[in-house]
Amino acid sequence: MTTSAAETRLTAPDDVPLQRRDWLQLAVPGLIWGSSFFLIAEGMDSFSPYLVTWLRIASGLVVIAAVPASRQPVESSVLPRVGVIGLIWITLPLTLFPLAEQRVSSSVVGMLNGATPIFAAIVVTALRRALPPNRQLLGLTVGLVGIVLIAGPSWTDGSSSASGVLMVLAALLCYGLSLSVLGPMQRQFGALPIVFRALVVAFVLTAPLGIAAIDDSDFAWSSALAVAALGVFGTGLAYVFMGRNAGQFGPTRASSTTYLIPGVSLFLGITFRGESVAAIAIIGCVVAVVGAYLVNTGVRSSS
């Protein structure tokens, strides 16, 4: 009995060759999130890190709530998993990134995000109890080398910079865990209903620190507009695309979009914020992009 590509994608989305349009769909979140770390830095010029996180989530929630499809019902049995997604996919990472940017530059935080597929692949490997295809395994190894090259200079700058690197890696571990939980729910209910409910959870969880941080913040239009853009695009649009990608392409391939983040983050940080980045870290960006290509073109052989 033969199996169609569509049926195969539903059961094993990591194993289906990508079409040309799939590459564009995979790229969208990475391109948007590449600018997120620049926007976080702009927001923190006047706002507390906790206020940046809360306002970002609030803006994204408003965008998603405006789409009627986001309010489609989901089974009550999946609500606990939605709560987990709201915590580990949104609340924790979006809180850790601004705190990390107090210790390392936005360029470095953005470049480190290329490590997400490594964590996603570890989770997938543990669930499947089988190694990924050789080409994907090579891509993950190459990507890991790139991340080490990116993180190395910051790691040796002192304890503050090292703690910033650890915060980013903790956030990426959250991403890796959440994508494996998110994929099956997205395939069952669609991206919008899941993302909307997860954002509600994250909005509630971040509200206490966000409200308390108002007194520690000053108002500036530049920071307000940066955080608004961060929420609309980086939390609203990008999260919908990422949720859809996790269901359609599998967690490893979906997370490989983050290999695009380093280049965008590096360009914006250097060009508009005058950040200085070690040459070895830039080489690491190139290595990470090569790893992304290998991950996305690796297909598990059929038996």
Side-chain angles (χ1 to χ4, degrees), residues 20-266:
R20 197 173 290 176
R21 64 181 179 274
D22 296 337
W23 286 91
L24 177 61
Q25 185 174 322
L26 279 167
V28 169
L31 294 174
I32 294 176
W33 282 331
S35 65
S36 293
F37 304 99
F38 165 76
L39 294 173
I40 289 172
E42 292 288 299
M44 289 199 303
D45 284 343
S46 299
F47 297 160
S48 161
Y50 297 112
L51 184 58
V52 168
T53 295
W54 188 49
L55 292 178
R56 171 184 184 174
I57 292 171
S59 300
L61 179 58
V62 168
V63 171
I64 300 299
V67 182
S70 68
R71 297 185 293 278
Q72 292 292 323
V74 300
E75 295 177 4
S76 58
S77 61
V78 305
L79 292 180
R81 281 184 286 165
V82 172
V84 172
I85 289 295
L87 174 64
I88 67 174
W89 192 40
I90 302 176
T91 301
L92 292 177
L94 299 196
T95 299
L96 288 169
F97 287 139
L99 294 174
E101 286 196 32
Q102 289 184 316
R103 295 159 174 81
V104 294
S105 68
S106 67
S107 298
V108 171
V109 174
M111 289 190 292
L112 283 170
N113 268 257
T116 303
I118 297 169
F119 293 101
I122 290 172
V123 174
V124 169
T125 298
L127 292 176
R128 287 188 173 184
R129 298 183 181 180
L131 291 175
N134 289 337
R135 190 176 178 89
Q136 284 193 349
L137 193 59
L138 175 62
L140 293 171
T141 302
V142 171
L144 176 60
V145 171
I147 298 309
V148 171
L149 294 176
I150 293 168
S154 295
W155 191 265
T156 58
D157 278 347
S159 59
S160 179
S161 296
S163 65
V165 170
L166 290 175
M167 287 180 183
V168 176
L169 295 180
L172 302 188
L173 176 59
C174 291
Y175 279 156
L177 292 169
S178 62
L179 288 174
S180 290
V181 179
L182 178 65
M185 289 194 296
Q186 188 279 333
R187 289 192 287 273
Q188 185 175 2
F189 301 106
L192 280 171
I194 299 302
V195 173
F196 170 66
R197 287 163 174 80
L199 281 171
V200 170
V201 171
F203 176 79
V204 172
L205 291 177
T206 56
L209 289 176
I211 294 172
I214 294 175
D215 288 339
D216 298 327
S217 304
D218 299 315
F219 180 82
W221 278 110
S222 58
S223 292
L225 292 174
V227 173
L230 182 65
V232 170
F233 295 101
T235 306
L237 183 61
Y239 269 73
V240 171
F241 266 91
M242 193 62 171
R244 182 181 302 166
N245 291 348
Q248 186 172 346
F249 304 116
T252 300
R253 276 180 169 170
S255 63
S256 70
T257 188
T258 58
Y259 278 114
L260 299 174
I261 294 175
V264 178
S265 175
L266 180 65

Side-chain angles (χ1 to χ4, degrees), residues 1-12 16 302-303:
M1 179 181 295
T2 59
T3 303
S4 68
E7 289 171 338
T8 303
R9 176 159 284 172
L10 284 174
T11 56
V16 181
S302 58
S303 55

